[in-house]
């Protein structure tokens, strides 16, 4: 079975500061990993994904994440936070290729950015 | 040019009523999903259809019945609504895994339907 744990339901940073949102996963098979962002009153939007290959993945809006198998982690980072980054962020794990797209989501981390 | 659309956006109803939420995608995807997001923002898959065939059913009560008239539509009908059904329901779609040029497991989400049961 697969599962996702996001450490910290709320993270608050200053504008211009480093953003670090933590995600750890559990999977008995090589996972596919995703970060989604949800802005207020909107649906989820894919930020980035890891399937195979390079473990450092770059996404939209300056975000990136690194897959660390030894730590079973897929933390999301951004060097400099912007006010527009304030949103809910969800980490998700999916089945390997060939399986139907059943995503298991973490509980989410709300990112607040203050001036 | 909306990719995944849902109607209605808001739905307020009384306990015991029957209601439907509609979802349509114009991305040409074969697979569609329904997710439920509760008040704590926890997001959980309910159903998935692949080309009108049910492929995922996550122990959802029988009061919930998805219907897919064609691969571009996946509607959710809920009978005898209960207070605990209050949530935001998201529809999503994705390409069939494994097709050349498709993005593995990338799901495109609709804007959500906020259901409030009084």
């Amino acid at each position: 079975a697969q599962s996702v744990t996001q450490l910290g339901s709320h993270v608050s940073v200053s504008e211009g500061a480093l953003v670090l949102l933590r995600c750890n996963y559990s999977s008995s098979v090589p996972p596919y990993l995703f970060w989604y962002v949800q802005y207020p009153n909107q649906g989820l939007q894919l930020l980035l994904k890891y399937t195979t290959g390079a473990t450092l993945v770059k996404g939209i809006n300056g975000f990136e994440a690194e897959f660390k198998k030894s730590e079973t982690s897929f933390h999301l980072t951004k060097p400099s936070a912007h006010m527009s980054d304030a949103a809910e962020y969800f980490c998700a794990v999916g089945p390997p290729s060939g399986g139907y797209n059943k995503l298991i989501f973490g509980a989410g981390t709300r990112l607040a950015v203050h001036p | 040019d909306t990719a995944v659309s849902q109607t209605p956006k808001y739905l307020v109803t009384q306990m015991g009523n029957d209601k439907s939420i509609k979802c349509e995608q114009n991305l040409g995807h074969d697979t569609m999903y329904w997710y439920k997001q509760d008040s704590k923002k926890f997001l959980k898959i309910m159903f998935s259809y692949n080309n009108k065939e049910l492929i995922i059913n996550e122990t959802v009560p029988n009061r919930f019945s998805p219907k897919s008239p064609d691969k571009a539509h996946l509607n959710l009908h809920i009978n005898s609504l209960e207070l605990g059904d209050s949530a935001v329901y998201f529809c999503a779609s994705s390409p069939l895994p494994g097709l050349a040029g498709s993005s593995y497991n990338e799901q495109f989400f609709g804007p959500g339907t906020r259901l409030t049961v009084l």
Side-chain angles (χ1 to χ4, degrees):
Chain A
Q2 295 177 312
S3 66
V4 175
T5 302
Q6 290 184 239
L7 296 174
S9 58
H10 290 81
V11 170
S12 182
V13 300
S14 300
E15 192 173 18
L18 171 72
V19 176
L20 171 60
L21 304 182
R22 299 178 187 273
C23 172
N24 287 89
Y25 70 91
S26 172
S27 178
S28 58
V29 295
Y32 285 4
L33 294 160
F34 308 82
W35 275 100
Y36 282 84
V37 60
Q38 183 181 24
Y39 297 104
N41 299 315
Q42 294 186 29
L44 278 72
Q45 179 183 1
L46 183 67
L47 268 180
L48 49 79
K49 65 184 178 188
Y50 167 79
T51 53
T52 57
T55 56
L56 182 62
V57 180
K58 294 188 185 298
I60 61 172
N61 301 338
F63 284 92
E64 61 183 37
E66 186 171 10
F67 170 61
K68 292 187 177 181
K69 184 178 178 181
S70 61
E71 298 177 8
T72 61
S73 69
F74 191 57
H75 301 330
L76 181 71
T77 60
K78 182 174 180 178
S80 177
H82 192 271
M83 298 294 288
S84 61
D85 294 327
E88 192 89 24
Y89 290 81
F90 293 92
C91 182
V93 61
S97 60
Y100 284 112
N101 292 351
K102 180 177 173 180
L103 291 181
I104 307 298
F105 283 87
T109 297
R110 176 161 293 181
L111 175 67
V113 182
H114 51 86
Chain B
D1 60 346
T2 304
V4 182
S5 60
Q6 296 178 228
T7 53
K9 190 171 176 63
Y10 299 96
L11 183 55
V12 181
T13 189
Q14 299 287 331
M15 256 193 329
N17 285 349
D18 303 338
K19 290 293 178 186
S20 292
I21 307 171
K22 295 186 176 182
C23 178
E24 177 181 2
Q25 55 94 4
N26 62 7
L27 297 167
H29 291 164
D30 292 284
T31 311
M32 296 185 72
Y33 315 78
W34 276 109
Y35 286 87
K36 179 180 180 181
Q37 186 177 47
D38 63 23
S39 58
K40 295 184 178 179
K41 297 285 187 179
F42 187 63
L43 195 66
K44 187 173 182 181
I45 191 167
M46 300 173 68
F47 300 103
S48 177
Y49 269 73
N50 181 57
N51 202 10
K52 301 192 297 177
E53 181 183 346
L54 180 66
I55 55 173
I56 295 175
N57 183 340
E58 288 292 301
T59 61
V60 178
N62 292 338
R63 299 182 295 104
F64 290 78
S65 53
K67 285 185 171 52
S68 182
D70 55 62
K71 75 174 191 177
H73 296 84
L74 180 62
N75 304 323
L76 183 65
H77 189 76
I78 314 171
N79 289 327
S80 303
L81 279 156
E82 300 177 357
L83 293 177
D85 298 331
S86 295
V88 181
Y89 292 84
F90 286 100
C91 177
S93 72
S94 71
L96 186 64
L99 286 176
S102 71
S103 299
Y104 275 100
N105 296 348
E106 178 171 352
Q107 297 184 18
F108 294 79
F109 284 77
T113 295
R114 183 174 294 275
L115 171 64
T116 302
V117 182
L118 304 175

